[in-house]
Amino acid sequence: MKKTLKCVLLTLLTISLAIAATGCGKSEADAKKVVIYTNGDEEAVQAMKTSLTNSGFEGQYVLHSLGTSELGGKLLAEGKNIEADLITMSSYFIESSQNKHAMFKELSFETDALETHPSFYAPILSITGTTFVNTELLEQKGLPRPTSIADLTKPEFKGLVSIPDIMHSSTGWLLIQAIISEYGEESGKAILHDLITNAGPHLESSGSGPIKKIQAGEVAAGFGLRHQAVAARATGIPIDFVDPIEGNFSLTESIAVVNKDNETTDLAMKMAEAILKGARKDLIVNYPVALYKGETIDQVDKPAYPKGFAKPLTVELLQEHQQFFNTSKSGN
Amino acid sequence: MPNVKPEMRVIFVVILSLFAAFLFLPLLILFARSFEDEQGISIANYMSIWSDRNMIEASFNSLKVSAAAAFISTILGFMLAYAIHCTNMYRPLKSVLKTAIVVPMLLPTITYGFAIIYSLGNQGLLTKLAGRSLFDIYGFNGLLIGYVIYTLPSAFLLLHNAFQSVDKKFIIVSKLMGDGTLRSFANTILRPLIGTLGGAFVLSFILSFTDFGIPASLGGAYPVVATQLYQVMLGSIPDFNQGAVIAVLMLVPAMFGIWLLKRLERLNFHYDKLADTELPRHRIRDAAFGFISIATVLGMLSVFAVMFIAPWLTAFPYDLTFTLKHVISTFQSSDLTRVYVNSLFVALLTALFGTLIAYSAAILNVRTSLMGRSALDIVSMISNTVPGMVLGISYLLLFNGSSLKGTFAILVICNMMHFFTTPYLMAKNALSRMNPSWETTGELLGDSWFNTVWRVILPNSASTVIEMASYFFINAMVTVSGIIFLVSAQTSVVASKIKELQHFGKFNEIFVISLLIFFTNLIIKLLCDYLQKRRTVN
């Protein structure tokens, strides 16, 4: 029995040492690996991975997916001490963390973007908000086809609307921007209050929540990402999108390199360029908004009422709008 | 007991300084941060937290759902233990039940949530079998089921152990004296177990109250304290001081619970000697309890059934053709193999160093006359009180700027501190039962203290050491709450990877790696059981 124990102890020790050895060897190799943090969806992550593989960077990076709010929190709290060397993230978060920590390196390459952007990031994709409906359910319930966000606040839509929650989802912000732009804060508050009341349990923390509820036939109308609605309609299910007269607002997500002043930063910069050059052709399929010269999109992908918010999008503005959302929610 | 040797002092000092640096200091910093705000030191953080409606709602929800889960777990755990000890159920069935009920312990709690979604959700396996949606799982119901599954094994084990020291002779005596069924039950079963029943309730309550995995996967629209804490620390506007306050608030019920457990221990009483008594035949009782226990365990396991089925189907629940593609693609992704190796690495190191420290601490406390050795009991009590999330946050606050941040070392240390108590008590228990004069004899024969420990004490407690290592390993494999704040992209472990996969709703991958954790733990558990058994046979 003493033998058994010694054997066990020795095996344990050997295994640990072996793993420790490989682990250490690995972590040395890992030290040179570029750590990428991204808030991107699965399609975006896949497009980035493909472009990195095609450029011969396979095995030289570790990619870590986080929610927008998690990654945003890390950027604001940690600054340059963040583990990541390269990030893709909502542009407003990149700008705010640059203002706070001056943490990003100037991009070493030129882009031919359609709109100007700061030199420390470059947009990789853009998402646009719209309303959409389940046509079958509308008919079944005898509901009129809505043309605006305000239409969804009518009492007949009670319990049949799904919207994303701005506290967790940047898609939710697109909805709030549309409401505030069109109606101002005063009457906007009443509209949002009624909308939240109508949504009830269908206030979704994920931006893709409403389209899923529409597909499942749980609600008749919702607000979410335009490209998802277009794609859903193309599969033949009874879904249609309705560009709301309040406007289709957009958010871009961008790529930026954390300035750590070492070799990894240089490698990260090369990867950023590779992603930008290589991934756009895949990204524009899933996120059909032209961002660079020479890109074209189908007519169906062009929103009817494209608009931009009057003030620049920053984290501070987001917080203001979250506040607006919360007071509308509880206000009478 | 042997005289105090310098080497004992050295080990003692090393162990105490470890706890000072990685348990006391982080907690102190946590307390300090909770009183800190822009103006300096004040209780403003504590005041402002109660103006947040969400936080009040979350506290209330947490209390409500944890208490309900603890209540159900205690009752079910009691019935199962009763069925095993006080009925003449078919014996093999008893041992199957005993094994099956601890199965959930081999899985991370974050998996429970996903298993519940895919079993009882709108498209779930059990929902389909039942033909309709049974109830809404996102909220109170889902959390309740998850917590009950999570705490039932612990509650059962506690009661099972207590039943072993109940003298069943008294049941027969009570019957002979003409007691009615109720009275007999109250006097011979309930009264001796009342302390343990209370203990099972308190333990289940604390476990539920401080768990992060289940609400992380199911919570959604139903805020509880654990998810609030996560959001405040890692949400879009992180507020570490606010987080510290919530962590302290999470610590309070845990502290109260541990205090209550100590008080409840006094209600326990001990029989002078236990007689192995054959119970009278009672077919109805046996059949009823057999049915109840089978139903409970099957109900519990049926929730996990989906995990073993879904990854092998093309697109559960829509396309039910068999496929290997999910499993193959999961294993082909270099990402997951890397994370799995990380997990094994962390679990093995935790088992090795955790056992070393817990065992040394127990030897020093039980088998030496070292001054101040009872400090180790206090250490163990503190470590037992601190919930994993609280420990994790304390580490985040203290080590964020240091070179320990994002290393494997911090994960191993966190696990060691978090899971110290149980193995320590196992070792203490085993070591105190051994002849106290062995060290002296060894010394007289010319062996050094180390030699005696290595050649006499250790071999005689081998089975305990194996049990300790297996406890550390399995818990390090499944823990989420302790390490969720400490993992980085490079030190990501399987349990935290599940949280990342959740972001994309990749359920098949989640189930495949849950199975990986499950089978790894199962192998370790069976191996340790086998080694232990072989030792007792010898």
Side-chain angles (χ1 to χ4, degrees), chain A residues 138-149:
Chain A
L138 279 185
E139 217 165 288
Q140 223 178 68
K141 302 266 174 190
L143 293 168
R145 190 182 158 99
T147 55
S148 65
I149 297 171

Side-chain angles (χ1 to χ4, degrees), chain B residues 360-396:
Chain B
S360 317
I363 280 203
L364 291 180
N365 193 355
V366 185
R367 300 189 72 87
T368 69
S369 48
L370 213 58
M371 278 258 290
R373 61 184 189 278
S374 57
L376 293 166
D377 283 329
I378 298 170
V379 160
S380 128
M381 215 176 71
I382 296 177
S383 138
N384 195 27
T385 313
V386 180
M389 277 187 103
V390 176
L391 195 63
I393 286 190
S394 313
Y395 277 33
L396 182 70

Side-chain angles (χ1 to χ4, degrees), chain A residues 29-38 45-64 85-86 264 267-268 271-272 274-275, chain B residues 334-335 338 489-490:
Chain A
D30 272 355
K32 282 177 209 131
K33 279 190 183 177
V34 172
V35 176
I36 305 173
Y37 277 6
T38 174
V45 168
Q46 201 46 55
M48 289 192 270
K49 279 188 176 169
T50 312
S51 67
L52 285 174
T53 306
N54 291 343
S55 311
F57 288 117
E58 193 162 9
Q60 297 182 49
Y61 66 93
V62 182
L63 194 142
H64 191 57
D85 303 293
L86 183 63
T264 329
L267 186 57
M271 287 187 189
I275 289 174
Chain B
S334 62
D335 214 23
R338 188 179 59 89
Q490 313 222 27

Side-chain angles (χ1 to χ4, degrees), chain B residues 405-479:
Chain B
K405 185 196 165 196
T407 61
F408 285 112
I410 198 169
L411 298 182
V412 173
I413 294 172
C414 179
N415 284 338
M416 269 162 50
M417 298 290 142
H418 184 187
F419 300 115
F420 175 77
T421 310
T422 307
Y424 168 73
L425 293 179
M426 286 178 194
K428 249 180 87 171
N429 189 21
L431 290 169
S432 60
R433 269 181 295 160
M434 286 178 203
N435 188 330
S437 60
W438 281 346
E439 282 93 339
T440 321
T441 318
E443 204 177 343
L444 289 174
L445 291 172
D447 268 357
S448 69
W449 180 66
F450 273 131
N451 263 330
T452 315
V453 169
W454 176 248
R455 286 158 58 168
V456 183
I457 313 270
L458 196 56
N460 275 292
S461 51
S463 125
T464 310
V465 172
I466 294 168
E467 204 185 339
M468 290 163 73
S470 127
Y471 179 91
F472 270 120
F473 183 93
I474 290 173
N475 278 292
M477 272 315 264
V478 300
T479 185

